[in-house]
């Protein structure tokens, strides 16, 4: 009922949004951070005019370089120069912060693109918790690994797999820019499908989408459960009991 299919280019401002999460730890010193910003600019260049973008840099703490906006000048300004590098690589904390930005902005279809050398150090949030939060919010996490002195791809691979995204790896700066360019084009050419469901609360639903000449795909979700709020026992008032007697 009420089926709607909206391409990203024609979507409303809050329907599509992406958070770019960029590693700004000391292990990214040298050409790595410069390549990362070049790639981020390539990603932003693919963005539709109505597609919101936020940029977060992280080391020990996440820093919002630009909040969600469609302002091209603000986005270009945030990506014009590399952020200051500091100790620490708390990847999972940064992704959790990106999820909170999507939640606060009430983005209907959100994505997170995180770039790092993959070596998480000291995150307060566990990988499993971040994956669970992303799935619950229906947010995909795309992770991109860049090779550096402390390169470890496993955490980024697990993050993308657990959050229903995809993992990519760049050995050179040219590959990094190409990966971000492709990701930007992919997210800018998506479709948002909405419909009114007749499924009851807390039910498993399987959705299958078929596109003529392209193929089919399926995905599942659980409908929200009814809120469980305990009610105090009901008792008639003293006056009611008096008149009833």
């Amino acid at each position: 009922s009420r089926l709607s299919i909206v391409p990203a280019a024609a979507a409303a401002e809050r329907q599509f949004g992406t958070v770019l999460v960029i590693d700004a730890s000391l292990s990214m010193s040298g050409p790595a951070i410069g390549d990362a910003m070049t790639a981020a600019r390539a990603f932003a260049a693919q963005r539709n005019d109505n597609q919101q973008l936020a940029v977060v840099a992280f080391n020990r703490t996440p820093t919002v370089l630009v909040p969600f906006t469609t302002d091209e000048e603000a986005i270009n300004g945030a990506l014009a120069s590399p952020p200051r590098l500091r100790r620490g690589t708390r990847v999972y904390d940064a992704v959790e912060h990106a999820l909170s930005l999507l939640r606060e902005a009430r983005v209907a279809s959100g994505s997170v693109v995180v770039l790092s050398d993959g070596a998480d150090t000291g995150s307060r949030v566990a990988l499993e918790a971040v994956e669970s939060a992303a799935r619950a919010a229906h947010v995909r996490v795309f992770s991109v690994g860049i090779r550096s002195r402390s390169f470890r791809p496993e955490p980024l691979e697990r993050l993308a797999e657990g959050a229903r995204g995809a993992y990519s790896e760049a050995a050179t700066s040219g590959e990094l820019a190409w990966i971000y360019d492709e990701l930007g084009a992919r997210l800018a050419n998506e479709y948002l499908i909405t419909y009114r469901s007749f499924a009851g609360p807390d039910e498993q639903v399987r959705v299958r989408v078929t596109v003529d000449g392209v193929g089919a795909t399926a995905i599942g979700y659980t409908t929200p459960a009814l809120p469980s709020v305990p009610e105090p026992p009901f008792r008639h008032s003293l006056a009611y009991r008096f008149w009833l007697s």
Side-chain angles (χ1 to χ4, degrees):
S1 175
R2 300 186 186 180
L3 177 66
S4 171
I5 304 174
V6 180
E13 193 170 280
R14 288 190 177 183
Q15 287 185 310
F16 286 90
T18 304
V19 185
L20 284 183
V21 180
I22 301 171
D23 190 342
S25 62
L26 293 179
S27 62
M28 293 286 290
S29 59
I33 189 62
D35 295 342
M37 301 308 290
T38 299
R41 289 191 290 271
F43 181 94
Q46 293 284 1
R47 182 186 60 86
N48 292 309
D49 292 340
N50 58 346
Q51 185 179 358
Q52 291 197 97
L53 184 68
V55 183
V56 174
F58 72 93
N59 30 70
R60 290 189 65 184
T61 57
T63 302
V64 178
L65 301 183
V66 61
F68 270 116
T69 183
T70 57
D71 189 334
E72 186 174 355
E73 186 175 343
I75 293 170
N76 292 338
L79 300 175
S81 57
R84 184 178 176 182
L85 305 185
R86 293 184 174 89
R87 292 183 180 277
T89 315
R90 296 184 176 179
V91 181
Y92 309 142
D93 288 355
V95 174
E96 182 192 45
H97 191 71
L99 294 175
S100 70
L101 292 178
L102 286 165
R103 183 172 59 253
E104 291 167 5
R106 298 182 180 180
V107 174
S109 179
S111 302
V112 176
V113 179
V114 54
L115 170 70
S116 176
D117 55 16
D120 182 89
T121 55
S123 280
R124 294 170 297 175
V125 182
L127 171 61
E128 293 76 13
V130 172
E131 293 171 347
S132 178
R135 289 194 301 268
H138 306 290
V139 173
R140 293 162 302 162
V141 179
F142 298 89
S143 59
V144 181
I146 182 171
R147 295 186 180 180
S148 66
R149 297 186 303 272
S150 56
F151 180 61
R152 282 186 57 207
E154 294 83 6
L156 293 175
E157 290 174 347
R158 290 180 58 194
L159 177 62
E161 181 181 2
R164 297 171 179 167
Y167 170 74
S168 305
E169 187 175 306
T172 66
S173 58
E175 289 182 9
L176 187 61
W178 178 82
I179 290 170
Y180 265 61
D181 185 68
E182 288 289 306
L183 272 175
R186 173 178 175 174
L187 297 179
N189 288 281
E190 291 188 319
Y191 291 82
L192 180 63
I193 301 175
T194 59
Y195 67 97
R196 180 177 290 275
S197 173
F198 293 102
D202 201 23
E203 287 187 11
Q204 293 288 331
V205 178
R206 195 75 177 162
V207 180
R208 181 176 175 86
V209 179
T210 303
V211 181
D212 291 342
V214 177
T217 188
I219 192 170
Y221 67 91
T222 303
T223 59
L226 292 174
S228 178
V229 180
E231 295 286 345
F234 174 76
R235 289 186 174 87
H236 290 294
S237 67
L238 179 62
Y240 181 87
R241 294 199 303 271
F242 172 79
W243 289 112
L244 187 65
S245 67

